[in-house]
Amino acid sequence: MLTAGTLADLVPSDPQPDALYEAFAGWAEGRGLALYPAQEEALIELVSGSNVVLSTPTGSGKSLVAAGAQFAALAQGRRSVYTAPIKALVSEKFFDLCAVFGAERVGMLTGDASVNPGAPIVCATAEVLANLALRRGAEADVGLVVMDEFHYYADPERGWAWQVPLLELPRAQFLLMSATLGDVRRFEDDLARRTGRQTTTVSSGERPVPLHFRYATTPLHETLEELLEGGDAPVYVVHMTQAAALERAQALMSTNVCSKEEKARIAEALGGFRFSAGFGKTLSRLIRHGVGVHHAGMLPRYRRLVEVLAQSGLLKVVCGTDTLGVGINVPIRTVLFTGLTKFDGVRQRVLKAREFHQIAGRAGRAGFDTSGLVVVQAPEHAIENERALAKAGDDPKKRRKVVKKKPPEGSVTWSRATYERLVAAEPEPLVSRMRVSFSMLLDVISRPGDAFTSMRHLLEDNHEERPRQLRLIRRAVSMYRALLTAGVVERLPEPDATGRTVRLTVDLQGDFALNQPLSPFALAAVSLLDKASPTYALDVLSVVEATLDDPRQVLRAQAHAARGEAVQAMKAEGIEYEERMELLEDVSWPKPLEELLQQAYETYRRGHPWVADHELSPKSVARDMHERAMTFTEYVGLYGLARSEGLVLRYLADAYRALRQTVPADARTEEVEDLIAWLGETVRQTDSSLLDEWERLVDPGAPAPTTSAVLDEGPPPVTANRRAFRVLVRNALFRRVELAALRRWDLLGELDGRDGWDADAWRDALAPYFDEHDEVGTGPDARGPALLLVTEEGRTWRVRQVLDDPAGDHDWGIAVEVDLDASDEAGTAVLRVTAVDRL
């Protein structure tokens, strides 16, 4: 049954260009969207069948042009694919298009999720489309390609994925869009040659909301006060690090950003929104003062909260990072750059013109502002020099005596001339970033036809200069020989019925190169584990974690903590400084099963050479958190990761999804199921949006959460998932067992002091136990379900954690009451110790 009232219902019976244009323009007008001249020009070209390179400023309605192109393709029976650089933007566009065209006509492919993949309109990451183009070539069922944020073509790591569809889909029509493309004449010529379609560049420097630029030589706090007093809020203050953004936001606590009435409205809007401990409490204080923080390291629900409050006009200042340039939905009037340099992972450098304009273009809200403002702060030393000159006045003698400060030695700085150059500069020309990989070879070999001809076309008719093409060819030959040696491919004595001269000797899984690249290896490695081992469930988790991308901030924090512990141990052993420093080089983050996994990986790679494209990385984040029996907040606090808690949560969500998708039913034990349930509930209770959106994709017809839901609704009751809640209770009790084993009475007192179990009470209660036994067991048996006795009595559970004593008597334990109602309110297990004694 078709969805009523969608754009698809307006498809004309005779889909000629004029009829298509009139139908779409009428629909847009009905929604109060008057087309700008650039939009009109682009749409006319698109409905007429031309390729279009759309280079217009941010806020000029490129998404509306894309919708018009998709409407025309749908009317003409052509399948369209919309690509974006990040999964979050792909899923956001997916829901937008479901509302416009009807959920039954829209699909999504991101690698994490496959929803309605056969739909006539598909949203995908650029890599998904690139792999589809490699596998199917000109025969791919793609009639229209819309590539948003096309400037990613020049990204050193991912640019190949924006180039491959241009090379391999000659029958498709292309719409390439970005606000910062630079000179695109070579794309015009190249697309026209490859597709046989006329290719037109539609560009306009005119913004619906024009921008004004200013260079500020006043200190940052004075610049901000001036902007607030002048009615130029909301202001997005751009920093190049997350730490600097938070530091600036906290500094604004001494500035009167909002009136009492405005603060009261913020408090009313927040209602019962749940802020977690740590960064959440800091953010709560800042927001109530009228200041937001927005960067990739935050929890998604916190970022969304800041966006909603900013959209409502309740936040005057938002301090964030330069991720603002990648589709962040924060409506702002003024962009304030705190500097024009950044560290790009290799060196400190001045911003490129593209980077500058991508961020600056976010200023000015269509429908709200008549203009946007971009302010660039002068360096601190330049501001001090300006003040010193101003103090000297017009007296030439005094001005000559002013000793001008210089920038810090070795630093990269900027000046007014830098600012003026960036404002005037066109974005740099896009640079080709083509590369070749095993996955690329396998995809091309798997398609019908002569693979050698296809690869020659791909490697010699790309956008690289000839010397670089030759290097790619040599690499491809080396990879092909490795595939032959491994027996993964074989030469045919003569072409087969499809024209193949070489074929695969193995079956590639259906989502090859579209999902976790090392998932097939993980599947093979899990089969090597001993199901009878008490650590089997955690070992399964370690296999999966080794295939995930590294959360570098977490691993650095783990390595730092490990080195600190190692130093203390070596000092206690009397090891000299020089030897300690040498030994510390071998101390890193925890890497469970490292030897087993590396050996398995080497064996697997001999038969599957393409896995060499992806690095195996043993690590323990989810496992470490579980073994320590910590909540998310406790774990973030342990390693000092408050500024990066969003990164930690995304990693845990990836681990949860990979466990669910990778581990087959016959490899799952009750303990593995418990682990999956615990991990999912930990993510959901910390920030339900990460899993709710992913699981909602399975049912695209389900209603998306409303804007108000961000403020009004929390996660589901933590006790609703009984399996996961029992694990949370077990972990909470085992945390106390571990602390008792370490005799950390102080930490036990912090956990339970409010209920009368302070440090002295714990020490006194366990003194008789330690008179009998030297230690408390904390191994796999100690934390197993056999030593956890649960009696469920309505909304109160009575639970006893039996201690694993060396004698095996199991006659001592910790008794608690678990309050289910309080647990639902807190989002974690809330328990009260009632006894620590012998049975």
Side-chain angles (χ1 to χ4, degrees), residues 366-423:
F368 293 90
D369 301 319
T370 57
S371 65
L373 178 62
V374 179
V375 181
V376 174
Q377 279 291 122
E380 288 186 11
H381 72 276
I383 293 173
E384 292 185 29
N385 290 339
E386 287 282 340
R387 285 197 153 188
L389 289 171
K391 188 175 180 180
D394 296 328
D395 187 333
K397 291 183 179 180
K398 289 183 179 180
R399 292 177 70 88
R400 281 196 298 270
K401 289 181 180 179
V402 170
V403 179
K404 291 187 177 181
K405 290 203 169 186
K406 295 181 179 180
E409 188 175 349
S411 67
V412 178
T413 189
W414 68 99
S415 64
R416 184 184 293 271
T418 312
Y419 151 78
E420 291 172 349
R421 178 182 60 78
L422 287 173
V423 170

Side-chain angles (χ1 to χ4, degrees), residues 132 166 261 329 439 486:
L132 174 64
L166 308 183
E261 294 76 13
N329 187 24
S439 297

Side-chain angles (χ1 to χ4, degrees), residues 682-816:
T682 295
V683 174
R684 194 182 305 281
Q685 290 300 321
T686 305
D687 189 336
S688 61
S689 64
L690 274 178
L691 293 188
D692 287 348
E693 179 176 281
W694 179 61
E695 293 175 355
R696 198 169 71 246
L697 294 174
V698 179
D699 179 16
T706 61
T707 295
S708 61
V710 177
L711 300 176
D712 298 338
E713 297 179 10
V718 70
T719 61
N721 185 334
R722 287 303 174 99
R723 178 189 287 272
F725 186 63
R726 287 177 74 97
V727 178
L728 290 176
V729 171
R730 188 196 315 166
N731 282 354
L733 273 162
F734 195 72
R735 175 78 175 136
R736 288 159 173 81
V737 171
E738 288 188 311
L739 293 175
L742 296 170
R743 308 188 194 206
R744 290 300 305 270
W745 316 121
D746 56 332
L747 297 180
L748 284 165
E750 289 178 13
L751 285 175
D752 300 305
R754 65 187 182 284
D755 297 322
W757 284 85
D758 59 14
D760 290 337
W762 273 100
R763 182 188 296 105
D764 293 345
L766 282 168
Y769 174 91
F770 283 111
D771 287 341
E772 298 179 35
H773 307 290
D774 294 333
E775 61 182 17
V776 176
T778 58
D781 292 335
R783 69 182 308 144
L787 297 186
L788 188 75
L789 310 177
V790 181
T791 303
E792 299 184 14
E793 299 176 355
R795 298 297 291 171
T796 300
W797 290 2
R798 303 188 188 283
V799 184
R800 185 174 183 86
Q801 173 67 59
V802 178
L803 300 184
D804 186 25
D805 60 87
D809 296 332
H810 294 162
D811 55 350
W812 275 82
I814 303 170
V816 303

